[in-house]
Amino acid sequence: MNKISHALGTIFAVGVLSLGCGLTNVARDVFERIPTPLELYVSTAGNDANDCLSVDTACLTLRAALEKATLSSTIHIGPGEFLVELGLILKSITLIGAGSDQTVLRAAAAAGSYSSDDVFFLVEGQNPVAIRELEISGIRDSNALVGFNVDGGSNLSLENCRVTQVKIGVLIQTAGLVTISNCTIAQNTVGVQIGGYTSHFLKYYGEDLKPSTYHGLAVISNNSIIAKNITGISNDGILSLDNVTFEQNSNALYNKGYATVAGSTFGNNGLGGAGNATITNSGVMTISNSGLSNNYPVAILNNVEPYLISAFGETYSPSDRRADLRISNVEIFDNDGNLHTPCAIVNARGRLQIYETNIVHNQCKGLDLYKGKVEIFKSSIVNNMYGGLEARGESSVYLENTTISNNYGVNAIEVDDTAALKLVNVTVAYNHGVGIHLASPGAHLDIWDSVVALNLGVFQCIGGVVDHRPTHSSNYFVCNDTWTGTTLGLGPLTDEEAGTWVHPLLPGSPLIDSGVPEHGCLTSDQRGSSRPNGSNCDVGAYESDRSTAIAPLEFVTPSGGATGVVPLYTNTPAPTPTLIYTDTPQAPIPIILTFAKNAFCRKGPGSLYRDISSFNQGDTAQADGRNDTDPRWWWVQIPNNTEHCWVSHVTVDPNDLAENLPIQPVALQLPAAPSNFAISKRVCSANGYSLQLAWSKSSGADGYTLYLNGQQIASFKEAASR
């Protein structure tokens, strides 16, 4: 935004300097001869022979009103549908409709009769053009028509508008500036296109972007919706997105320029099938405070040049472009791809930085990293259905203060080819395969103050990982198959602390204070809690709130040379067992449920409860209880865990015996909606109109979500009124 503000500031500064100069006689004469701006009207009941100066003398067509307009005039367009001649030129004009659901400007030409140069409106000149409260609609079958063509430093603002059924909704060319607020851009081939496809130089992070010329600038914000386009936005210039919703696009956002995305949501994109990514970055992009869910087949693709997802990089042709992507405080969840393919994040030859981000519940692999440089901080990679992370090619991957847990299908971490992976204070636990697989002798692994344990594969690590373990004492927590949940003191996976998924350390855990001082100590853990809280940092991504370390375990090297926990044998004879027969009834036969589909297991009997585990199709689980209402939910044991969770009856094969299960009380009740919701303050200023909302705290709530017209606009994790 600093770069955008700088560009806008330059424009405004020129205007101030011009106004500050004294007017010469010639200038004063020119000023006096400038016509006064007019208020003009267009109506379905109008007549182009009228003067357009009132509702009663309105014109019938927009062209007639434009011909009568002076500089800075305003044209009011009434309700109804108006056929518009193509190629109208807009200069220093404001068009205001009766509402985007009431005033429709439709292309006058028939479908299929457009040429490739046909546009609704050509926006020209240095003075601003504003369009408000109306819809621009063409015939999508034409595959040629452009809604707005903005070029040569022109300035267009769209507010409370709809642009639909054209080839390109808004085309921004050299030095054009467009602001879009609370608009819907839908059902176009391309919703917004900024610049062409000419390569231009982009600098790295930490430096200013200072191109000598830029290929257009767009600022899109304030609940705007980009929906049902083949490509939502294609950017080869400068783009700023704030509070924008992308839904049901084939490709939501394709960036080859410089882009910032904040407070936005991407959902149900990927209508075109395999090969499409919701967000593709081949330029410089930052994504913050946003969410991506239910996209197919890939949520985020960061790559230098386009290539087929099924053949990573093999069709790559070198170019001058870079792919630099920074992701911060983003929720990437429930994205859906084939199990053997990535669907959350793919990096190919680019630079990728991830901060405080949750990559969870995706129906495929969490991250697929092919060449390039990747850094991940204070994030969670959990509950993905086909592994957590795979590094291939010449990837350089660094993870810090990150939890990788409860991923299914294959190994939690796969390192192949000549990839290099470094873990610092990372927790890899309770995954449903091997913790780390070093699949190639050319791969490199470096592990500091991390724990790799309690994974459910045959071994914690395979493929030479042990050779890369650290030589200091924390190697006892890496690839050691002897640990149990009790002896390691690693608590259940939870996201109830700081909105990130972690395994808390239980009192007495040997991980507490076991970090190596020679490595130094990170200043905070995955949650942002300060380190250390004891004599040393704790091992793994979680820093215990108070040091409760037990006496350190003593590890010895037996004669065989293997290092690990060695059982101690004594000569104390075992007592002779005594058989005692009683009339205790036999325990009931456990009821085992078989899953008919992939399913999430939740904290309570309903889809509004947060999921804490998941099952694959064909998995089984023991059911120990049920709810007392319809629809039926079963209370089942989490495998290899003492905890229980709830699954819906529609996810498992029918089992008549389950109806005989005892009713299980629901420990966690959903909180009621907050009460006394009201507008507590209204502020109207030169900067806009704002509202302050307030409500009373709801008992049992630990956060709130705010919706406007069915769209989520904000969420608050703390349990407080606002």
Side-chain angles (χ1 to χ4, degrees):
M1 286 302 295
N2 290 335
K3 302 171 184 62
I4 296 170
S5 299
H6 175 74
L8 295 176
T10 302
I11 297 171
F12 296 148
V14 171
V16 171
L17 289 174
S18 298
L19 294 176
C21 299
L23 295 176
T24 65
N25 291 333
V26 174
R28 184 178 294 107
D29 181 61
V30 172
F31 181 79
E32 290 173 351
R33 288 190 286 107
I34 294 176
T36 302
L38 301 175
E39 297 286 329
L40 302 170
Y41 296 85
V42 174
S43 166
T44 55
N47 189 310
D48 288 348
N50 294 334
D51 59 14
C52 309
L53 293 176
S54 69
V55 175
D56 294 334
T57 60
C59 290
L60 177 63
T61 66
L62 179 59
R63 173 178 286 277
L66 286 171
E67 290 174 347
K68 297 176 175 62
T70 58
L71 288 178
S72 302
S73 291
T74 298
I75 300 177
H76 302 271
I77 308 173
E81 182 174 303
F82 298 83
L83 296 180
V84 177
E85 297 180 44
L86 300 182
L88 294 181
I89 297 175
L90 302 181
K91 293 183 178 180
S92 185
I93 196 77
T94 297
L95 306 182
I96 303 177
S100 62
D101 59 342
Q102 298 187 55
T103 300
V104 179
L105 305 184
R106 193 175 300 280
S113 64
Y114 305 130
S115 73
S116 59
D117 297 325
D118 283 337
V119 298
F120 259 107
F121 297 112
L122 291 166
V123 180
E124 297 181 353
Q126 301 298 317
N127 294 318
V129 172
I131 313 291
R132 303 173 191 163
E133 304 290 349
L134 53 78
E135 176 179 340
I136 304 293
S137 181
I139 305 297
R140 190 175 182 179
D141 294 341
S142 69
N143 198 34
L145 187 61
V146 175
F148 296 92
N149 188 348
V150 184
D151 197 2
S154 301
N155 184 335
L156 169 68
S157 67
L158 299 174
E159 184 177 352
N160 300 332
C161 292
R162 289 177 54 88
V163 181
T164 66
Q165 298 187 23
V166 294
K167 179 182 180 182
I168 302 176
V170 181
L171 174 60
I172 309 167
Q173 301 194 64
T174 305
L177 169 63
V178 173
T179 59
I180 300 174
S181 175
N182 195 28
C183 290
T184 297
I185 314 292
Q187 296 180 291
N188 308 289
T189 303
V190 179
V192 179
Q193 181 171 312
I194 306 150
Y197 297 98
T198 303
S199 177
H200 59 279
F201 182 72
L202 295 171
K203 294 188 177 181
Y204 304 159
Y205 288 129
E207 301 181 23
D208 291 333
L209 176 70
K210 297 178 180 178
S212 57
T213 60
Y214 61 87
H215 301 285
L217 185 154
V219 180
I220 306 176
S221 63
N222 193 23
N223 298 309
S224 290
I225 297 173
I226 313 295
K228 298 182 180 179
N229 305 283
I230 302 300
T231 297
I233 297 178
S234 177
N235 176 50
D236 199 35
I238 300 176
L239 171 66
S240 172
L241 300 172
D242 190 359
N243 194 13
V244 178
T245 298
F246 291 78
E247 57 188 13
Q248 299 185 50
N249 302 282
S250 180
N251 302 90
L253 173 59
Y254 192 175
N255 176 58
K256 290 188 175 184
Y258 183 92
T260 60
V261 181
S264 297
T265 59
F266 297 77
N268 297 297
N269 297 285
L271 301 180
N276 294 324
T278 295
I279 298 177
T280 299
N281 177 58
S282 295
V284 176
M285 176 184 286
T286 62
I287 307 173
S288 63
N289 303 305
S290 298
L292 293 94
S293 65
N294 297 298
N295 300 290
Y296 178 89
V298 176
I300 299 176
L301 170 61
N302 185 51
N303 72 301
V304 175
E305 284 291 325
Y307 64 94
L308 293 177
I309 294 174
S310 59
F312 283 99
E314 302 311 316
T315 60
Y316 165 72
S317 299
S319 76
D320 293 332
R321 289 192 180 275
R322 290 189 59 82
D324 286 349
L325 175 61
R326 180 177 297 180
I327 300 172
S328 176
N329 193 22
V330 175
E331 298 285 331
I332 304 171
F333 63 100
D334 286 341
N335 295 287
D336 190 8
N338 297 323
L339 284 178
H340 63 282
T341 64
C343 66
I345 298 179
V346 178
N347 183 70
R349 297 183 176 84
R351 180 185 179 190
L352 173 63
Q353 295 177 319
I354 300 175
Y355 298 86
E356 299 176 351
T357 289
N358 293 325
I359 305 169
V360 299
H361 304 157
N362 298 287
Q363 298 298 310
C364 48
K365 191 177 300 178
L367 295 100
D368 198 307
L369 312 175
Y370 179 77
K371 298 187 177 181
K373 182 178 181 180
V374 179
E375 299 167 295
I376 303 174
F377 304 88
K378 295 184 177 179
S379 297
S380 55
I381 306 169
V382 303
N383 292 338
N384 299 290
M385 287 296 179
Y386 200 71
L389 177 154
E390 181 177 1
R392 302 182 296 113
E394 300 171 358
S395 294
S396 173
V397 184
Y398 175 85
L399 286 88
E400 178 183 293
N401 274 332
T402 292
T403 295
I404 303 176
S405 178
N406 204 42
N407 296 288
Y408 287 77
V410 292
N411 308 314
I413 297 177
E414 182 96 6
V415 189
D416 205 347
D417 301 325
T418 57
L421 179 69
K422 183 172 183 177
L423 309 180
V424 178
N425 285 102
V426 173
T427 297
V428 183
Y430 289 111
N431 295 283
H432 290 251
V434 171
I436 300 178
H437 180 204
L438 203 61
S440 169
H444 181 75
L445 184 64
D446 197 6
I447 305 176
W448 286 18
D449 294 337
S450 297
V451 54
V452 182
L454 306 179
N455 298 288
L456 306 182
V458 177
F459 301 101
Q460 294 303 310
C461 306
I462 57 175
V465 177
V466 174
D467 296 333
H468 295 267
R469 293 191 306 179
T471 57
H472 52 72
S473 62
S474 69
N475 71 353
Y476 305 135
F477 308 116
V478 176
C479 307
N480 192 325
D481 295 314
T482 62
W483 289 111
T484 67
T486 300
T487 58
L488 193 59
L490 201 62
L493 186 67
T494 178
D495 68 338
E496 295 179 354
E497 298 192 46
T500 189
W501 292 85
V502 293
H503 283 286
L505 301 186
L506 303 178
S509 170
L511 298 169
I512 297 174
D513 291 350
S514 291
V516 177
E518 290 81 0
H519 285 164
C521 185
L522 299 175
T523 57
S524 60
D525 71 355
Q526 180 177 327
R527 304 164 298 160
S529 298
S530 60
R531 292 182 187 263
N533 283 329
S535 57
N536 294 314
C537 267
D538 297 348
V539 170
Y542 189 96
E543 183 76 9
S544 178
D545 292 334
R546 60 194 181 102
S547 182
T548 54
I550 60 175
L553 301 176
E554 180 179 354
F555 293 84
V556 298
T557 302
S559 58
T563 301
V565 178
V566 179
L568 301 178
Y569 298 96
T570 69
N571 293 323
T572 304
T576 301
T578 301
L579 299 179
I580 301 176
Y581 299 94
T582 68
D583 293 329
T584 303
Q586 186 178 7
I589 299 175
I591 295 175
I592 305 299
L593 302 178
T594 301
F595 284 84
K597 61 179 70 175
N598 295 345
F600 289 122
C601 202
R602 303 181 180 276
K603 288 186 175 182
S607 59
L608 294 180
Y609 288 90
R610 184 179 296 276
D611 53 282
I612 58 176
S613 187
S614 58
F615 294 91
N616 289 332
Q617 181 179 356
D619 286 351
T620 58
Q622 178 175 322
D624 294 331
R626 64 178 177 87
N627 64 339
D628 59 351
T629 60
D630 288 325
R632 186 70 76 220
W633 286 71
W634 311 121
W635 191 58
V636 301
Q637 289 186 11
I638 300 176
N640 303 298
N641 198 311
T642 60
E643 300 295 324
H644 285 72
C645 55
W646 295 84
V647 297
S648 171
H649 75 285
V650 301
T651 64
V652 299
D653 291 336
N655 189 320
D656 294 336
L657 296 177
E659 285 296 333
N660 298 323
L661 289 169
I663 294 174
Q664 175 63 31
V666 181
L668 179 64
Q669 297 294 333
L670 291 174
S675 59
N676 301 321
F677 186 84
I679 299 173
S680 62
K681 185 177 182 181
R682 294 179 172 87
V683 177
C684 185
S685 67
N687 296 326
Y689 183 70
S690 64
L691 300 175
Q692 180 173 313
L693 306 176
W695 60 86
S696 298
K697 177 180 176 182
S698 180
S699 177
D702 57 5
Y704 304 94
T705 303
L706 191 63
Y707 293 86
L708 176 64
N709 296 329
Q711 297 291 329
Q712 180 178 335
I713 62 173
S715 60
F716 311 99
K717 294 180 179 178
E718 63 271 19
S721 59
R722 287 260 173 175

